[in-house]
Amino acid sequence: MRITIDTDRCIGAGQCVLTAPGVFTQDDDGFSALLPESAGTADDPMLKEAARACPVQAITLESE
């Protein structure tokens, strides 16, 4: 699964980090980012919930 974050849309609410902390983090400015080691965590059961929880729908999940 491919995970993308629209950095222009992200407002730094942090819901993704709270929901799937093994996949997402926040950068120095407070915006969402993928953890470097998250490439193998596309199967995280909370990943879809994290995308759904984003208040501005900045997270996109695409099947490869």
Side-chain angles (χ1 to χ4, degrees):
M1 182 167 296
R2 181 179 162 164
I3 308 163
T4 56
I5 301 171
D6 184 339
T7 55
D8 291 330
R9 184 176 276 191
C10 179
I11 61 171
Q15 294 303 305
C16 57
V17 179
L18 292 172
T19 306
V23 179
F24 298 98
T25 188
Q26 288 180 291
D27 65 16
D28 293 337
D29 295 321
F31 296 107
S32 296
L34 291 173
L35 288 169
E37 61 273 9
S38 68
T41 59
D43 296 329
D44 187 313
M46 296 305 290
L47 188 55
K48 289 181 183 176
E49 180 60 24
R52 189 198 66 74
C54 179
V56 293
Q57 290 79 45
I59 301 168
T60 304
L61 307 176
E62 297 175 28
S63 297
E64 292 188 80

